[in-house]
Amino acid sequence: MTYTIQVGNGGYVGWKVLERTMARQREAFSRDTSTTADRNYFIEHMPNVRGADDLIRDYRLMTVTLRAFGLDADINNKFFIKKVLESNPDDRSSLVNRLSDKRYLKLNQALSLNHSEVHNATRVQTILAQYEERSFEKNIGERYPEIELTLNAQRELPQIASLEISENAKWYQILGSKPLRQIFEKAYGLGSNFSSLPIDRQLMEIKSKAKINSGNESVGQFQAAETRESLLRRYLLRNHISVSSESSRFTTALTILRS
């Protein structure tokens, strides 16, 4: 039986509860029998993977690997994942470099199957650490998706913020990440039509909102813990208001139908 992570009733309060109990709950989750079984299977079988076909033929290995990069939804997209893994990350025109979602590039680079490299113990352990971290988040996300998104942003934002690329390129990475995009759209109140705008207009809008909310339009600001906390608090509180409003409308409609 999988350990259930406790976050109260979710939302911002649940997020603060999790912060206080994080170390203890992570340790308990790591000792869970399901987590241990997946870890042992991966350690035993992943070193035998020599190419993309070896991975996609093993559903359990593929499940762990995709989870490690937050790509669970692609578990049945075997043809696409094969193309991603076999794509050349050093070729700027290759498939994996053309994809706006850079999680696929990270997957490709971590496995390096296009170079037929042996998976050494260090690489296996790195992937496993990411798998356990995202499994911890997904455990919460099954009940409170807003906290899963918050944990993801807390991890991913400082990594993007510290990249040695232009600020616009950093924003494009955020816009290309479905989980991060949800955080910013809700926190900044960008509206349901935002994603349908041309990408250069989206860039202009999100930078403008960042400037209004923090006085700074750079992604680099999210290297600071207090700036991330402000963003995530805004996201969680706005999300709570949105969910509460939907619930109120549903309750009102139900009352009218019953009357």
Side-chain angles (χ1 to χ4, degrees), residues 71-159:
L71 297 170
D72 305 62
D74 287 310
I75 188 63
N76 294 315
N77 297 336
K78 293 184 177 181
F79 179 78
F80 173 66
I81 292 300
K82 177 179 168 67
K83 292 298 182 184
V84 166
L85 294 175
E86 293 179 342
S87 184
N88 183 1
D90 299 322
D91 179 358
R92 298 177 68 88
S93 64
S94 68
L95 169 66
V96 77
N97 280 311
R98 294 200 310 272
L99 294 170
S100 60
D101 191 334
K102 296 309 174 184
R103 291 178 296 178
Y104 295 106
L105 178 60
K106 291 179 181 178
L107 170 67
N108 175 294
Q109 293 172 330
L111 270 64
S112 296
L113 294 180
N114 57 308
H115 295 310
S116 299
E117 293 183 7
V118 175
H119 290 282
N120 58 40
T122 300
R123 179 169 297 173
V124 166
Q125 290 300 326
T126 298
I127 295 173
L128 272 177
Q130 293 176 195
Y131 166 73
E132 291 188 24
E133 184 170 25
R134 289 187 182 273
S135 292
F136 182 90
E137 295 168 8
K138 193 171 185 65
N139 181 288
I140 301 169
E142 290 171 352
R143 291 160 292 134
Y144 302 107
E146 74 278 9
I147 296 184
E148 180 182 7
L149 287 172
T150 301
L151 285 166
N152 177 80
Q154 189 182 54
R155 181 185 61 254
E156 297 290 325
L157 269 178
Q159 293 178 13

Coordinates of all heavy atoms in Angstrom, one line a residue, residues 71-159:
L71 N 7.0 13.3 -17.5 CA 6.4 13.0 -18.8 C 5.5 11.8 -18.8 O 5.3 11.1 -19.8 CB 7.5 12.8 -19.9 CG 8.4 14.1 -20.2 CD1 9.6 13.7 -21.0 CD2 7.5 15.2 -20.8
D72 N 4.8 11.6 -17.7 CA 3.9 10.4 -17.5 C 2.9 10.3 -18.6 O 2.5 9.2 -19.0 CB 3.2 10.5 -16.2 CG 4.1 10.7 -15.0 OD1 4.8 11.7 -14.9 OD2 4.1 9.8 -14.1
A73 N 2.4 11.4 -19.1 CA 1.3 11.4 -20.1 C 1.7 10.8 -21.4 O 0.9 10.4 -22.2 CB 0.8 12.8 -20.3
D74 N 3.0 10.6 -21.6 CA 3.5 10.1 -22.9 C 3.8 8.6 -22.8 O 4.4 8.0 -23.7 CB 4.8 10.8 -23.3 CG 4.6 12.2 -23.8 OD1 3.7 12.3 -24.7 OD2 5.2 13.1 -23.3
I75 N 3.3 7.9 -21.7 CA 3.6 6.5 -21.5 C 3.2 5.6 -22.7 O 3.8 4.6 -23.0 CB 3.0 6.0 -20.2 CG1 3.5 4.5 -19.9 CG2 1.5 6.0 -20.3 CD1 5.0 4.4 -19.7
N76 N 2.1 6.0 -23.4 CA 1.6 5.2 -24.5 C 2.1 5.8 -25.9 O 1.8 5.2 -26.9 CB 0.1 5.1 -24.5 CG -0.4 4.3 -23.3 OD1 0.2 3.3 -23.0 ND2 -1.4 4.8 -22.6
N77 N 2.8 6.9 -25.9 CA 3.3 7.5 -27.1 C 4.7 6.9 -27.5 O 5.7 7.6 -27.6 CB 3.4 9.0 -27.0 CG 2.0 9.6 -26.8 OD1 1.0 9.0 -27.1 ND2 2.0 10.8 -26.2
K78 N 4.8 5.6 -27.7 CA 6.1 4.9 -27.9 C 6.8 5.4 -29.1 O 8.0 5.6 -29.0 CB 5.8 3.4 -27.9 CG 5.4 2.8 -26.6 CD 5.3 1.3 -26.8 CE 4.8 0.7 -25.4 NZ 4.8 -0.8 -25.5
F79 N 6.1 5.6 -30.2 CA 6.8 6.1 -31.4 C 7.4 7.4 -31.2 O 8.6 7.7 -31.6 CB 5.8 6.1 -32.6 CG 6.4 6.6 -33.9 CD1 7.2 5.7 -34.6 CD2 6.2 7.9 -34.3 CE1 7.7 6.2 -35.8 CE2 6.8 8.4 -35.5 CZ 7.5 7.5 -36.3
F80 N 6.7 8.3 -30.6 CA 7.2 9.7 -30.3 C 8.4 9.7 -29.4 O 9.4 10.3 -29.6 CB 6.1 10.6 -29.7 CG 6.5 11.9 -29.3 CD1 7.0 12.9 -30.2 CD2 6.5 12.3 -28.0 CE1 7.4 14.1 -29.8 CE2 6.9 13.5 -27.5 CZ 7.4 14.4 -28.5
I81 N 8.3 8.9 -28.3 CA 9.4 8.8 -27.3 C 10.6 8.2 -28.0 O 11.8 8.6 -27.7 CB 9.0 8.0 -26.1 CG1 7.9 8.8 -25.3 CG2 10.2 7.7 -25.2 CD1 8.4 10.1 -24.8
K82 N 10.4 7.2 -28.8 CA 11.6 6.6 -29.6 C 12.3 7.7 -30.4 O 13.5 7.8 -30.4 CB 11.1 5.5 -30.5 CG 12.1 4.8 -31.3 CD 11.5 3.7 -32.2 CE 12.5 3.2 -33.2 NZ 13.7 2.5 -32.7
K83 N 11.5 8.5 -31.1 CA 12.1 9.6 -31.9 C 12.8 10.6 -31.0 O 13.9 11.1 -31.4 CB 11.0 10.3 -32.7 CG 10.4 9.4 -33.8 CD 11.4 9.0 -34.8 CE 10.8 8.2 -36.0 NZ 11.9 7.7 -36.9
V84 N 12.2 10.9 -29.9 CA 12.9 11.9 -29.0 C 14.2 11.3 -28.5 O 15.2 12.0 -28.5 CB 12.0 12.1 -27.7 CG1 12.7 12.8 -26.6 CG2 10.8 13.0 -28.2
L85 N 14.2 10.0 -28.1 CA 15.5 9.4 -27.6 C 16.5 9.3 -28.6 O 17.7 9.3 -28.3 CB 15.1 8.1 -26.9 CG 14.2 8.1 -25.7 CD1 13.9 6.7 -25.3 CD2 14.9 8.8 -24.6
E86 N 16.1 9.1 -29.9 CA 17.1 8.9 -30.9 C 17.5 10.2 -31.6 O 18.4 10.2 -32.5 CB 16.5 7.9 -32.0 CG 16.4 6.5 -31.4 CD 15.8 5.5 -32.4 OE1 15.2 6.0 -33.4 OE2 15.9 4.3 -32.2
S87 N 16.9 11.3 -31.2 CA 17.2 12.6 -31.8 C 18.6 13.0 -31.3 O 19.0 12.7 -30.2 CB 16.1 13.6 -31.4 OG 16.4 14.8 -32.0
N88 N 19.3 13.8 -32.2 CA 20.6 14.2 -31.8 C 20.6 15.6 -31.1 O 20.2 16.6 -31.7 CB 21.5 14.4 -33.1 CG 22.9 14.8 -32.8 OD1 23.3 15.0 -31.7 ND2 23.7 15.0 -33.9
P89 N 20.9 15.6 -29.8 CA 20.8 16.9 -29.1 C 21.8 17.9 -29.5 O 21.7 19.1 -29.1 CB 21.0 16.4 -27.6 CG 21.9 15.2 -27.7 CD 21.4 14.5 -29.0
D90 N 22.8 17.5 -30.2 CA 23.9 18.5 -30.7 C 23.5 19.1 -32.0 O 24.2 20.0 -32.5 CB 25.2 17.7 -30.8 CG 25.7 17.2 -29.5 OD1 25.5 17.8 -28.5 OD2 26.2 16.0 -29.5
D91 N 22.4 18.7 -32.6 CA 21.9 19.2 -33.9 C 20.8 20.2 -33.6 O 19.7 19.8 -33.1 CB 21.4 18.1 -34.8 CG 20.9 18.6 -36.1 OD1 20.9 19.9 -36.3 OD2 20.5 17.8 -37.0
R92 N 21.0 21.5 -33.8 CA 20.0 22.5 -33.4 C 18.7 22.3 -34.2 O 17.6 22.8 -33.7 CB 20.5 23.9 -33.7 CG 21.8 24.2 -32.8 CD 22.3 25.6 -33.1 NE 21.4 26.6 -32.7 CZ 21.4 27.2 -31.5 NH1 22.3 26.8 -30.6 NH2 20.6 28.2 -31.2
S93 N 18.7 21.6 -35.3 CA 17.5 21.4 -36.1 C 16.8 20.1 -35.9 O 15.8 19.8 -36.5 CB 17.8 21.5 -37.6 OG 18.7 20.4 -38.0
S94 N 17.3 19.3 -34.9 CA 16.7 18.0 -34.6 C 15.4 18.1 -33.9 O 15.1 19.2 -33.3 CB 17.7 17.1 -33.8 OG 17.9 17.7 -32.5
L95 N 14.7 17.1 -33.9 CA 13.3 17.1 -33.3 C 13.4 17.5 -31.8 O 12.7 18.4 -31.4 CB 12.7 15.7 -33.3 CG 11.5 15.4 -32.4 CD1 10.3 16.3 -33.0 CD2 11.1 14.0 -32.4
V96 N 14.3 17.0 -31.0 CA 14.4 17.2 -29.6 C 14.7 18.7 -29.3 O 14.3 19.3 -28.3 CB 15.3 16.3 -28.9 CG1 16.8 16.7 -29.1 CG2 15.0 16.2 -27.4
N97 N 15.4 19.4 -30.2 CA 15.7 20.8 -30.0 C 14.6 21.7 -30.6 O 14.6 22.9 -30.2 CB 17.1 21.1 -30.7 CG 18.2 20.7 -29.9 OD1 18.3 21.0 -28.7 ND2 19.2 20.0 -30.5
R98 N 13.8 21.2 -31.4 CA 12.7 22.0 -32.0 C 11.5 22.0 -31.0 O 10.6 22.9 -31.1 CB 12.2 21.4 -33.3 CG 13.2 21.6 -34.4 CD 12.6 21.5 -35.8 NE 11.7 20.3 -36.0 CZ 12.1 19.1 -36.4 NH1 13.4 18.9 -36.6 NH2 11.2 18.2 -36.5
L99 N 11.4 21.0 -30.1 CA 10.3 21.0 -29.2 C 10.4 22.1 -28.1 O 11.5 22.3 -27.5 CB 10.2 19.6 -28.5 CG 9.9 18.4 -29.3 CD1 10.2 17.1 -28.6 CD2 8.5 18.4 -29.9
S100 N 9.3 22.8 -27.9 CA 9.4 23.9 -27.0 C 9.5 23.5 -25.5 O 10.0 24.2 -24.7 CB 8.1 24.8 -27.1 OG 6.9 24.1 -26.9
D101 N 8.9 22.3 -25.2 CA 9.0 21.7 -23.9 C 10.3 21.0 -23.7 O 10.6 20.0 -24.3 CB 7.9 20.7 -23.7 CG 7.7 20.2 -22.3 OD1 8.7 20.3 -21.5 OD2 6.6 19.8 -21.9
K102 N 11.2 21.7 -22.9 CA 12.6 21.2 -22.7 C 12.7 20.0 -21.9 O 13.9 19.5 -21.7 CB 13.4 22.4 -22.2 CG 13.5 23.5 -23.2 CD 13.9 23.1 -24.6 CE 13.9 24.2 -25.6 NZ 14.2 23.8 -27.0
R103 N 11.6 19.5 -21.3 CA 11.7 18.2 -20.6 C 12.1 17.1 -21.5 O 12.8 16.2 -21.0 CB 10.4 17.9 -19.9 CG 10.0 18.8 -18.8 CD 8.6 18.5 -18.2 NE 7.6 18.7 -19.2 CZ 6.3 18.4 -19.0 NH1 5.9 17.9 -17.8 NH2 5.4 18.6 -19.9
Y104 N 11.8 17.1 -22.8 CA 12.2 16.1 -23.7 C 13.7 16.1 -24.0 O 14.3 15.1 -24.1 CB 11.4 16.2 -25.0 CG 9.9 16.0 -24.8 CD1 9.0 17.1 -24.9 CD2 9.4 14.7 -24.6 CE1 7.6 16.9 -24.7 CE2 8.0 14.5 -24.5 CZ 7.2 15.6 -24.5 OH 5.8 15.4 -24.3
L105 N 14.2 17.3 -24.1 CA 15.7 17.5 -24.2 C 16.4 16.9 -23.0 O 17.4 16.2 -23.2 CB 16.0 18.9 -24.5 CG 17.5 19.3 -24.7 CD1 18.1 18.5 -25.8 CD2 17.7 20.8 -24.8
K106 N 15.9 17.2 -21.8 CA 16.5 16.7 -20.6 C 16.5 15.2 -20.6 O 17.5 14.5 -20.2 CB 15.8 17.3 -19.4 CG 16.1 18.8 -19.2 CD 15.3 19.3 -18.0 CE 15.6 20.8 -17.8 NZ 14.8 21.3 -16.6
L107 N 15.4 14.6 -21.0 CA 15.2 13.2 -21.1 C 16.3 12.6 -22.0 O 17.0 11.6 -21.7 CB 13.8 12.8 -21.5 CG 13.6 11.3 -21.9 CD1 13.7 10.4 -20.7 CD2 12.2 11.2 -22.6
N108 N 16.4 13.2 -23.2 CA 17.3 12.7 -24.2 C 18.8 12.8 -23.7 O 19.5 11.8 -23.8 CB 17.2 13.6 -25.5 CG 18.2 13.3 -26.5 OD1 19.4 13.5 -26.4 ND2 17.7 12.8 -27.7
Q109 N 19.1 13.9 -23.1 CA 20.5 14.1 -22.6 C 20.8 13.2 -21.4 O 22.0 12.7 -21.3 CB 20.7 15.6 -22.2 CG 20.6 16.5 -23.4 CD 20.6 18.0 -23.0 OE1 20.1 18.3 -21.9 NE2 21.2 18.9 -23.8
A110 N 19.8 12.9 -20.6 CA 20.1 12.1 -19.4 C 20.4 10.6 -19.8 O 21.2 10.0 -19.2 CB 18.9 12.1 -18.5
L111 N 19.7 10.2 -20.9 CA 19.8 8.8 -21.3 C 20.9 8.6 -22.3 O 21.6 7.6 -22.3 CB 18.5 8.2 -21.8 CG 17.6 7.5 -20.8 CD1 17.1 8.6 -19.7 CD2 16.4 6.9 -21.5
S112 N 21.1 9.6 -23.2 CA 22.2 9.6 -24.2 C 22.1 8.3 -25.0 O 23.2 7.7 -25.4 CB 23.6 9.8 -23.6 OG 23.7 11.0 -23.0
L113 N 20.9 7.8 -25.3 CA 20.8 6.5 -26.1 C 21.3 6.7 -27.5 O 21.7 5.7 -28.1 CB 19.4 6.0 -26.0 CG 18.8 5.6 -24.6 CD1 17.4 5.2 -24.8 CD2 19.7 4.5 -24.0
N114 N 21.3 7.9 -28.0 CA 21.7 8.1 -29.4 C 23.2 7.9 -29.5 O 23.8 7.7 -30.6 CB 21.4 9.5 -29.9 CG 21.9 10.6 -29.0 OD1 21.7 10.6 -27.8 ND2 22.6 11.5 -29.6
H115 N 23.9 7.9 -28.4 CA 25.4 7.6 -28.3 C 25.7 6.2 -27.9 O 26.8 5.8 -27.8 CB 26.1 8.6 -27.4 CG 26.0 10.0 -27.9 ND1 26.3 10.4 -29.1 CD2 25.6 11.2 -27.2 CE1 26.1 11.7 -29.2 NE2 25.7 12.2 -28.1
S116 N 24.6 5.4 -27.6 CA 24.7 4.0 -27.1 C 25.6 3.9 -25.9 O 26.4 3.0 -25.8 CB 25.3 3.2 -28.3 OG 24.4 3.2 -29.4
E117 N 25.5 4.8 -25.0 CA 26.4 4.8 -23.8 C 25.8 3.8 -22.8 O 24.6 3.6 -22.7 CB 26.4 6.2 -23.2 CG 27.2 7.2 -24.0 CD 27.3 8.5 -23.3 OE1 27.0 8.6 -22.2 OE2 27.8 9.5 -24.0
V118 N 26.7 3.2 -22.0 CA 26.2 2.3 -21.0 C 25.7 3.1 -19.8 O 26.2 4.2 -19.5 CB 27.4 1.4 -20.5 CG1 27.0 0.6 -19.3 CG2 27.9 0.5 -21.6
H119 N 24.6 2.6 -19.2 CA 24.1 3.4 -18.0 C 24.8 3.0 -16.8 O 24.6 2.0 -16.2 CB 22.6 3.1 -17.9 CG 21.8 3.7 -19.1 ND1 21.5 5.0 -19.1 CD2 21.3 3.2 -20.2 CE1 20.8 5.3 -20.2 NE2 20.7 4.2 -20.9
N120 N 25.7 3.9 -16.4 CA 26.5 3.6 -15.1 C 25.6 3.9 -13.9 O 24.5 4.4 -14.0 CB 27.8 4.4 -15.1 CG 27.5 5.9 -15.2 OD1 26.6 6.4 -14.6 ND2 28.4 6.6 -16.0
A121 N 26.2 3.5 -12.8 CA 25.5 3.6 -11.5 C 25.1 5.0 -11.2 O 24.0 5.3 -10.6 CB 26.3 3.0 -10.4
T122 N 25.9 6.0 -11.5 CA 25.7 7.4 -11.2 C 24.4 7.9 -12.0 O 23.6 8.6 -11.4 CB 26.9 8.3 -11.5 OG1 28.0 7.8 -10.7 CG2 26.6 9.7 -11.2
R123 N 24.4 7.6 -13.2 CA 23.3 8.0 -14.1 C 22.0 7.4 -13.6 O 20.9 8.0 -13.5 CB 23.5 7.6 -15.5 CG 22.4 8.0 -16.5 CD 22.9 7.9 -17.9 NE 23.9 8.8 -18.2 CZ 24.6 8.8 -19.4 NH1 24.3 7.9 -20.3 NH2 25.6 9.6 -19.6
V124 N 22.0 6.1 -13.3 CA 20.8 5.4 -12.8 C 20.3 6.0 -11.5 O 19.1 6.3 -11.3 CB 21.2 3.9 -12.5 CG1 20.0 3.2 -11.7 CG2 21.3 3.1 -13.9
Q125 N 21.2 6.3 -10.6 CA 20.8 6.9 -9.3 C 20.3 8.3 -9.5 O 19.3 8.7 -8.8 CB 22.0 7.0 -8.3 CG 22.4 5.6 -7.8 CD 21.3 4.9 -7.1 OE1 20.5 5.5 -6.4 NE2 21.3 3.6 -7.2
T126 N 20.8 9.1 -10.5 CA 20.3 10.4 -10.8 C 18.8 10.4 -11.2 O 18.0 11.1 -10.8 CB 21.2 11.1 -11.8 OG1 22.5 11.3 -11.3 CG2 20.6 12.5 -12.1
I127 N 18.6 9.4 -12.2 CA 17.2 9.3 -12.7 C 16.3 8.8 -11.6 O 15.1 9.3 -11.5 CB 17.2 8.3 -13.9 CG1 18.0 8.9 -15.1 CG2 15.8 8.0 -14.3 CD1 18.2 7.9 -16.2
L128 N 16.7 7.9 -10.8 CA 15.9 7.4 -9.7 C 15.6 8.5 -8.7 O 14.4 8.6 -8.2 CB 16.6 6.3 -9.0 CG 16.4 4.9 -9.5 CD1 17.2 3.8 -8.7 CD2 14.9 4.5 -9.5
A129 N 16.5 9.4 -8.4 CA 16.3 10.5 -7.4 C 15.2 11.4 -8.0 O 14.3 11.8 -7.3 CB 17.5 11.3 -7.2
Q130 N 15.2 11.6 -9.3 CA 14.2 12.5 -9.9 C 12.8 11.8 -9.9 O 11.8 12.4 -9.7 CB 14.6 12.8 -11.4 CG 15.8 13.7 -11.5 CD 16.3 13.9 -12.9 OE1 17.4 14.4 -13.1 NE2 15.4 13.6 -13.9
Y131 N 12.9 10.4 -10.2 CA 11.7 9.6 -10.2 C 11.0 9.7 -8.8 O 9.8 9.9 -8.7 CB 12.0 8.2 -10.5 CG 10.8 7.2 -10.2 CD1 9.7 7.2 -11.0 CD2 10.9 6.4 -9.1 CE1 8.6 6.4 -10.7 CE2 9.9 5.5 -8.9 CZ 8.7 5.5 -9.7 OH 7.7 4.7 -9.4
E132 N 11.8 9.5 -7.7 CA 11.2 9.5 -6.4 C 10.6 10.9 -6.0 O 9.6 11.0 -5.4 CB 12.2 9.1 -5.4 CG 12.5 7.6 -5.5 CD 13.4 7.1 -4.4 OE1 13.4 7.7 -3.3 OE2 14.1 6.1 -4.6
E133 N 11.3 12.0 -6.5 CA 10.9 13.3 -6.2 C 9.5 13.6 -6.9 O 8.6 14.1 -6.3 CB 11.9 14.3 -6.6 CG 11.6 15.8 -6.3 CD 12.7 16.7 -6.5 OE1 13.6 16.4 -7.3 OE2 12.7 17.8 -5.8
R134 N 9.4 13.2 -8.1 CA 8.2 13.5 -8.9 C 7.1 12.5 -8.4 O 5.9 12.9 -8.5 CB 8.5 13.4 -10.4 CG 9.3 14.5 -10.9 CD 9.4 14.5 -12.4 NE 10.2 15.5 -13.0 CZ 9.8 16.7 -13.3 NH1 8.5 17.0 -13.1 NH2 10.6 17.6 -13.8
S135 N 7.4 11.3 -8.0 CA 6.4 10.4 -7.5 C 5.8 11.0 -6.2 O 4.6 10.8 -5.9 CB 7.0 9.0 -7.2 OG 7.4 8.4 -8.4
F136 N 6.7 11.6 -5.4 CA 6.2 12.2 -4.2 C 5.2 13.3 -4.5 O 4.1 13.5 -3.9 CB 7.4 12.8 -3.4 CG 7.1 13.5 -2.1 CD1 7.1 12.8 -0.9 CD2 6.9 14.9 -2.1 CE1 6.9 13.4 0.3 CE2 6.6 15.5 -0.9 CZ 6.6 14.8 0.3
E137 N 5.6 14.1 -5.5 CA 4.7 15.2 -6.0 C 3.4 14.7 -6.5 O 2.3 15.2 -6.3 CB 5.4 16.1 -7.0 CG 6.6 16.8 -6.4 CD 7.5 17.4 -7.5 OE1 7.1 17.4 -8.7 OE2 8.6 17.9 -7.1
K138 N 3.5 13.6 -7.3 CA 2.3 13.1 -8.0 C 1.3 12.4 -6.9 O 0.1 12.5 -7.1 CB 2.7 12.0 -9.0 CG 1.5 11.6 -9.9 CD 2.0 10.8 -11.1 CE 0.9 10.5 -12.1 NZ 0.4 11.7 -12.7
N139 N 1.9 11.9 -5.9 CA 1.1 11.3 -4.8 C 0.2 12.4 -4.2 O -1.0 12.2 -4.0 CB 2.0 10.8 -3.7 CG 1.3 10.2 -2.5 OD1 0.7 10.9 -1.7 ND2 1.3 8.9 -2.4
I140 N 0.7 13.6 -4.1 CA -0.1 14.7 -3.6 C -1.1 15.2 -4.7 O -2.2 15.5 -4.5 CB 0.8 15.9 -3.2 CG1 1.7 15.4 -2.1 CG2 0.0 17.1 -2.7 CD1 2.8 16.4 -1.8
G141 N -0.5 15.3 -6.0 CA -1.3 15.8 -7.1 C -2.5 15.1 -7.4 O -3.5 15.6 -8.0
E142 N -2.6 13.8 -7.0 CA -3.8 13.0 -7.3 C -5.0 13.6 -6.5 O -6.2 13.4 -6.9 CB -3.6 11.5 -6.9 CG -2.6 10.8 -7.9 CD -2.2 9.5 -7.4 OE1 -2.6 9.1 -6.3 OE2 -1.6 8.7 -8.2
R143 N -4.7 14.2 -5.4 CA -5.8 14.9 -4.6 C -5.7 16.4 -4.7 O -6.8 17.0 -4.7 CB -5.6 14.4 -3.1 CG -5.9 13.0 -2.9 CD -5.3 12.5 -1.6 NE -3.8 12.5 -1.6 CZ -3.0 12.9 -0.7 NH1 -3.5 13.5 0.4 NH2 -1.7 12.9 -0.8
Y144 N -4.5 16.9 -4.7 CA -4.4 18.4 -4.7 C -3.4 18.8 -5.8 O -2.2 19.0 -5.5 CB -3.9 18.9 -3.3 CG -4.9 18.5 -2.2 CD1 -4.5 17.5 -1.3 CD2 -6.1 19.1 -2.1 CE1 -5.4 17.1 -0.3 CE2 -7.0 18.7 -1.1 CZ -6.6 17.7 -0.2 OH -7.5 17.3 0.8
P145 N -3.9 18.9 -7.1 CA -2.9 19.2 -8.2 C -2.2 20.5 -8.0 O -1.1 20.7 -8.6 CB -3.9 19.1 -9.4 CG -5.3 19.2 -8.9 CD -5.2 18.6 -7.5
E146 N -2.9 21.5 -7.3 CA -2.2 22.8 -7.2 C -0.9 22.7 -6.4 O 0.0 23.4 -6.6 CB -3.2 23.8 -6.5 CG -3.4 23.6 -5.0 CD -4.5 22.5 -4.7 OE1 -4.9 21.8 -5.6 OE2 -4.8 22.4 -3.5
I147 N -0.8 21.7 -5.4 CA 0.4 21.6 -4.7 C 1.5 20.9 -5.5 O 2.7 21.2 -5.4 CB 0.1 20.9 -3.3 CG1 -0.8 21.7 -2.5 CG2 1.4 20.6 -2.6 CD1 -1.1 21.2 -1.1
E148 N 1.0 19.9 -6.3 CA 2.0 19.3 -7.2 C 2.6 20.3 -8.1 O 3.9 20.3 -8.3 CB 1.3 18.2 -8.0 CG 2.3 17.5 -9.0 CD 1.6 16.4 -9.9 OE1 0.3 16.3 -9.8 OE2 2.3 15.7 -10.6
L149 N 1.8 21.2 -8.7 CA 2.3 22.2 -9.6 C 3.3 23.2 -8.8 O 4.3 23.6 -9.4 CB 1.2 23.0 -10.2 CG 0.3 22.3 -11.3 CD1 -0.9 23.1 -11.6 CD2 1.2 22.0 -12.5
T150 N 2.9 23.5 -7.6 CA 3.8 24.3 -6.8 C 5.1 23.7 -6.5 O 6.2 24.4 -6.6 CB 3.0 24.7 -5.5 OG1 1.8 25.3 -5.8 CG2 3.9 25.6 -4.6
L151 N 5.1 22.4 -6.1 CA 6.4 21.7 -5.9 C 7.3 21.7 -7.2 O 8.5 21.9 -7.1 CB 6.1 20.3 -5.4 CG 5.7 20.2 -4.0 CD1 5.1 18.8 -3.7 CD2 6.8 20.5 -3.0
N152 N 6.6 21.5 -8.3 CA 7.3 21.5 -9.6 C 8.0 22.8 -9.8 O 9.1 22.9 -10.2 CB 6.4 21.1 -10.7 CG 7.1 21.1 -12.1 OD1 7.8 20.2 -12.5 ND2 6.8 22.2 -12.8
A153 N 7.2 23.9 -9.6 CA 7.7 25.2 -9.9 C 8.8 25.6 -8.9 O 9.8 26.2 -9.3 CB 6.6 26.2 -9.7
Q154 N 8.7 25.2 -7.7 CA 9.8 25.4 -6.7 C 11.1 24.8 -7.1 O 12.2 25.4 -6.9 CB 9.4 24.9 -5.3 CG 10.3 25.3 -4.2 CD 9.9 24.7 -2.9 OE1 9.7 23.5 -2.7 NE2 9.6 25.6 -1.9
R155 N 11.0 23.7 -7.8 CA 12.2 23.0 -8.3 C 12.7 23.6 -9.6 O 13.9 23.8 -9.8 CB 11.9 21.5 -8.4 CG 13.2 20.7 -8.9 CD 12.8 19.2 -9.2 NE 11.8 19.1 -10.3 CZ 10.6 18.8 -10.0 NH1 10.1 18.5 -8.8 NH2 9.7 18.7 -11.1
E156 N 11.8 23.8 -10.6 CA 12.2 24.1 -11.9 C 12.6 25.6 -12.1 O 13.5 25.9 -12.9 CB 11.0 23.8 -12.9 CG 10.7 22.3 -13.0 CD 11.8 21.5 -13.6 OE1 12.4 22.0 -14.6 OE2 12.0 20.3 -13.2
L157 N 11.9 26.5 -11.4 CA 12.1 27.9 -11.6 C 13.5 28.3 -11.4 O 14.1 29.1 -12.2 CB 11.1 28.7 -10.8 CG 9.8 29.1 -11.5 CD1 8.9 29.9 -10.5 CD2 10.1 29.9 -12.8
P158 N 14.1 28.0 -10.2 CA 15.5 28.4 -10.0 C 16.5 27.9 -11.1 O 17.5 28.5 -11.4 CB 15.8 28.0 -8.6 CG 14.8 26.9 -8.3 CD 13.6 27.3 -9.1
Q159 N 16.2 26.7 -11.6 CA 17.1 26.1 -12.6 C 17.0 26.9 -13.9 O 18.1 27.2 -14.5 CB 16.6 24.6 -12.9 CG 16.9 23.7 -11.7 CD 16.4 22.3 -12.0 OE1 16.1 21.9 -13.2 NE2 16.3 21.4 -11.0

